[in-house]
Amino acid sequence: MEELSPVKKFSYLPLQSSSGIRLIRILPSEDAKIECQMSNTSLDNLPLYSALSYVWGTPKRTCQIIVNNRIFLVTENLFLALQHLHYQKKPRTWWIDAICINQLDDKERSSQIRVMKDIYSKAEEIVIWLGTEENDSALAVELAAQVHRYWFHQTQTLGKAERTVISTPRKDLVSGISLYGDTQGSRALQAFSALLSRPWWERIWIVQEATTPFNTKIVQCGNSLVRWDALIAATRFILALSARADLKDDFADLAPIDHFGSRRIFNLENLRNSGQYSSNLLTTLADFRHFKASDPRDMVYALLDLLDEEVVEALAPDYTLPVAQAYENAAKYCILKCRSLDCLGYCSSLSDQIPGLPSWCPDWSNQGDGHPLAKLTYRRSQKSHAPPILPVYNATGGLKAPIALQSSLFSISNHKIMLRGFHIDTLQSVGKPWHQADVHPQSSPVLPNLFPSSLAQSSSCLLAIPSPIYVPTGEPLPLAYAHTLVCDVSKERNVRHRPFHLDLAYWLTVTDLSMPPADHERRRVEWGSLLFALVGRRMVCSGKGYVGLGPARAIVGDWVCALIGGSVLYVLRPVGDGKVFRFVGEGYVHGLMDGEGVSGKERTFVVI
């Protein structure tokens, strides 16, 4: 064997074609030493191999392994994974991104992303490395296996089993899985919640790694292994338990799955069940925006394999581009190809945007905590009996976007978007912004604290008899508020209904919005609709006396506008002499969502 020397640094042999990849063969070892042989090969002529899905962790490479008799540095997390994954008696062939792709070559990184889907789909198995054993992770893995065995024995689908957990009386739920009154069971639930909080669940790349069909997926934590479908089954079980208010005392010490974590898991599960993903670019970016990436560009690039080739060609991965340019390219595609302004609904984050990113471009590296306003009554479905898909709002009163939308809406040369529409009103006062972090028990009723001070409407005034009148529509003021606080829309899974309003008298007294009301189906729907509307927004009052919900970063003096090509209202902020604007976010204004405010001469808004 050639003698090792620190000066003999590892160097990659260039890949010879667009289908070329590298594999490593980890040699058997009975100690901590990791030695590999790397070879170039082609996707057209592959041996059996496993693909690793893991978290890079700290990007600094401090741990040594041997590759082709040369020293090769890897991150600590990958080194720990390799120590657990190699065999003692026989070699094992792997594809591992940090080793098999030259990470210092942006051109190679860009080209390898184009074949990542093939790499994972052609692997004999995908091993998901969650990290070393800690926080009773072995107990958590055993719980996953136990839940999966029980549901499989009952021959229940996951959906049916989940509904069973939700609907079964508390005293009967113990019949199949011995968890209640068992300190080991409670400890296992706590450990499982910790397992789902590990960094792997946040990675954007797991979307294609974990959901690739047609091969075996094994989850490994330390030396404990479990099948992927068993882990998902247990995840849905824990989520179903945590949704039941009557179980809070049974598992008072159970750490909840975080808000974004549950969204990530649900979207992974939906993708896994479908076996394929067919949607437009904006929906895809939106569905997985609650993941994270060490390179912000990967929030777009990691999802391209889920989309049509046309999108891949238009937004081909290019790591030489600045992050702002990659995101602007994605926004341009969403607007020009779909002839829609729906992507503006994801531009309302309070956090600082990426330097150089125009205000009309979503920052996909920022998770945000709100939702865009509903656009359609039903989101999407492969089912023939799905309800008809209809627009929820019509704020421009039926005015259509121009045929030449591409040339009239966007100026590529100066990163500005030119929008046609109407200035409807100006914000006169704003209330307290409401965020996901505010969804916890309060010392006083939640909703009255959100009203703008200029409205001067206390809860007692809203409930007075006779009721004050909401002048713009002539309806009772409490009813106008009851519609406004949910943006006039009910949310029931993927279905949206309009009109809709709260039981305002009840909700004005509520001090805790963290859990839905127990045993009251209508109020459960109201609770979900209220959070969907409020989170990431604030109540606003306009100069003409309208009330509504605007983006959390809206301020006094912002303009309320109806823009051709959009179905909702938009909040714009004049800059300088008012010839250009910054985009603030979408808005709901009660009494103006069906074109009532569109009048006079339309104008052009230049948004930077």
Side-chain angles (χ1 to χ4, degrees):
M1 178 181 293
E2 184 179 353
E3 184 180 355
L4 294 174
S5 171
V7 298
K8 294 183 177 180
K9 295 181 179 179
F10 177 86
S11 61
Y12 286 94
L13 292 176
L15 296 172
Q16 298 301 312
S17 69
S18 59
S19 62
I21 68 168
R22 302 183 184 92
L23 295 175
I24 60 168
R25 190 165 177 259
I26 304 179
L27 302 180
S29 173
E30 295 186 359
D31 55 30
K33 181 180 178 181
I34 303 296
E35 186 170 356
C36 314
Q37 296 173 341
M38 178 184 289
S39 60
N40 289 16
T41 185
S42 169
L43 288 168
D44 302 321
N45 184 28
L46 290 169
L48 294 178
Y49 68 96
S50 301
L52 182 64
S53 176
Y54 70 107
V55 174
W56 278 40
T58 304
K60 192 172 183 180
R61 300 184 179 217
T62 58
C63 300
Q64 291 187 3
I65 65 172
I66 306 303
V67 179
N68 291 353
N69 296 326
R70 297 289 189 271
I71 293 174
F72 190 101
L73 295 179
V74 297
T75 64
E76 181 182 7
N77 196 44
L78 177 54
F79 185 72
L80 291 172
L82 293 172
Q83 289 185 315
H84 284 80
L85 296 172
H86 81 284
Y87 291 147
Q88 293 185 354
K89 301 297 183 182
K90 62 180 181 178
R92 192 175 184 184
T93 302
W94 287 88
W95 184 88
I96 301 173
D97 60 352
I99 301 175
C100 296
I101 298 176
N102 184 355
Q103 300 295 328
L104 299 179
D105 185 337
D106 286 342
K107 184 177 179 181
E108 181 176 305
R109 287 176 64 204
S110 300
S111 65
Q112 286 286 280
I113 283 181
R114 299 289 297 271
V115 297
M116 202 82 79
K117 181 178 180 180
D118 291 331
I119 292 173
Y120 278 97
S121 63
K122 291 176 181 290
E124 180 184 22
E125 67 174 1
I126 296 174
V127 176
I128 296 166
W129 170 254
L130 294 184
T132 57
E133 183 172 342
E134 59 183 17
N135 297 325
D136 285 331
S137 56
L139 198 58
V141 171
E142 175 55 31
L143 172 64
Q146 183 183 5
V147 171
H148 186 255
R149 282 195 299 268
Y150 168 67
W151 278 353
F152 182 80
H153 178 71
Q154 299 295 317
T155 64
Q156 293 197 62
T157 64
L158 280 181
K160 182 179 178 182
E162 186 178 23
R163 290 191 294 274
T164 299
V165 172
I166 293 173
S167 61
T168 300
R170 171 175 164 269
K171 61 183 180 62
D172 297 333
L173 197 55
V174 68
S175 60
I177 307 173
S178 299
L179 295 174
Y180 295 94
D182 178 4
T183 56
Q184 185 81 344
S186 181
R187 182 178 156 202
L189 288 171
Q190 190 73 26
F192 192 82
S193 182
L195 193 71
L196 297 185
S197 299
R198 294 202 176 202
W200 181 87
W201 293 94
E202 300 179 343
R203 290 182 61 245
I204 188 64
W205 283 107
I206 72 172
V207 174
Q208 64 171 325
E209 296 168 2
T211 57
T212 302
F214 314 127
N215 49 19
T216 301
K217 300 177 185 68
I218 301 296
V219 179
Q220 183 165 347
C221 187
N223 292 319
S224 301
L225 289 80
V226 67
R227 289 176 56 91
W228 167 260
D229 51 357
L231 190 72
I232 291 296
T235 301
R236 294 185 66 165
F237 172 75
I238 303 298
L239 288 171
L241 283 182
S242 64
R244 290 186 53 162
D246 61 329
L247 300 179
K248 293 179 72 173
D249 292 338
D250 295 79
F251 303 108
D253 59 343
L254 177 59
I257 298 173
D258 74 276
H259 176 69
F260 294 133
S262 62
R263 289 194 197 177
R264 288 189 286 262
I265 293 165
F266 282 141
N267 285 335
L268 281 176
E269 172 70 353
N270 291 338
L271 181 54
R272 184 182 75 99
N273 284 339
S274 67
Q276 59 181 355
Y277 192 86
S278 178
S279 188
N280 61 36
L281 173 63
L282 178 61
T283 302
T284 305
L285 294 173
D287 278 352
F288 299 103
R289 71 188 186 280
H290 302 294
F291 288 79
K292 296 180 181 179
S294 54
D295 188 323
R297 290 166 291 197
D298 287 339
M299 293 301 295
V300 175
Y301 295 160
L303 300 174
L304 292 180
D305 274 337
L306 304 180
L307 298 162
D308 295 336
E309 188 62 29
E310 177 187 358
V311 184
V312 177
E313 291 296 330
L315 301 176
D318 183 354
Y319 286 97
T320 65
L321 290 180
V323 176
Q325 188 61 58
Y327 284 4
E328 184 178 332
N329 291 347
K332 287 164 58 177
Y333 187 94
C334 290
I335 292 172
L336 301 181
K337 280 293 182 179
C338 300
R339 299 194 174 189
S340 166
L341 299 181
D342 287 354
C343 78
L344 298 181
Y346 297 94
C347 299
S348 57
S349 170
L350 276 173
S351 301
D352 293 335
Q353 289 190 311
I354 290 173
L357 186 68
S359 66
W360 52 269
C361 297
D363 176 3
W364 297 111
S365 68
N366 187 332
Q367 294 183 348
D369 62 357
H371 301 269
L373 290 174
K375 305 300 189 302
L376 301 172
T377 54
Y378 198 77
R379 193 160 178 267
R380 63 172 183 266
S381 177
Q382 305 290 334
K383 300 176 182 179
S384 59
H385 60 272
I389 300 177
L390 301 171
V392 173
Y393 306 109
N394 188 17
T396 57
L399 291 175
K400 301 296 183 181
I403 295 176
L405 187 67
Q406 181 165 341
S407 61
S408 63
L409 276 186
F410 195 77
S411 174
I412 297 176
S413 61
N414 54 14
H415 309 290
K416 301 173 183 176
I417 186 169
M418 288 169 285
L419 303 165
R420 295 171 55 212
F422 303 85
H423 175 204
I424 305 297
D425 209 342
T426 301
L427 297 187
Q428 185 181 69
S429 63
V430 299
K432 176 186 174 183
W434 183 253
H435 298 289
Q436 186 64 41
D438 297 319
V439 184
H440 57 77
Q442 308 281 330
S443 59
S444 60
V446 173
L447 295 186
N449 292 326
L450 304 182
F451 297 160
S453 58
S454 66
L455 294 177
Q457 304 292 348
S458 67
S459 57
S460 60
C461 178
L462 284 173
L463 301 179
I465 299 176
S467 298
I469 298 299
Y470 181 62
V471 176
T473 62
E475 63 191 320
L477 186 63
L479 183 59
Y481 272 55
H483 284 282
T484 299
L485 288 168
V486 290
C487 294
D488 200 25
V489 171
S490 68
K491 176 187 179 296
E492 298 181 69
R493 294 185 180 272
N494 282 343
V495 182
R496 308 290 182 266
H497 293 293
R498 181 174 180 238
F500 183 76
H501 65 273
L502 298 170
D503 177 357
L504 189 64
Y506 170 79
W507 289 102
L508 284 176
T509 66
V510 173
T511 60
D512 183 5
L513 292 178
S514 63
M515 295 288 288
D519 304 322
H520 197 299
E521 185 58 33
R522 164 74 187 197
R523 285 180 181 163
R524 288 181 67 89
V525 174
E526 291 181 2
W527 173 80
S529 305
L530 181 65
L531 290 188
F532 189 84
L534 279 184
V535 171
R537 296 192 173 91
R538 69 195 322 166
M539 288 196 72
V540 297
C541 181
S542 76
K544 296 179 182 178
Y546 289 90
V547 296
L549 288 178
R553 60 180 179 173
I555 61 175
V556 173
D558 287 345
W559 287 18
V560 178
C561 303
L563 302 176
I564 299 174
S567 60
V568 301
L569 294 175
Y570 299 92
V571 179
L572 303 180
R573 182 168 302 157
V575 177
D577 58 5
K579 292 183 179 179
V580 297
F581 298 81
R582 290 190 64 81
F583 185 78
V584 181
E586 296 180 328
Y588 171 89
V589 179
H590 192 62
L592 292 178
M593 300 306 293
D594 295 297
E596 299 92 336
V598 174
S599 62
K601 185 179 180 180
E602 70 177 56
R603 58 164 292 170
T604 297
F605 299 91
V606 180
V607 183
I608 59 176

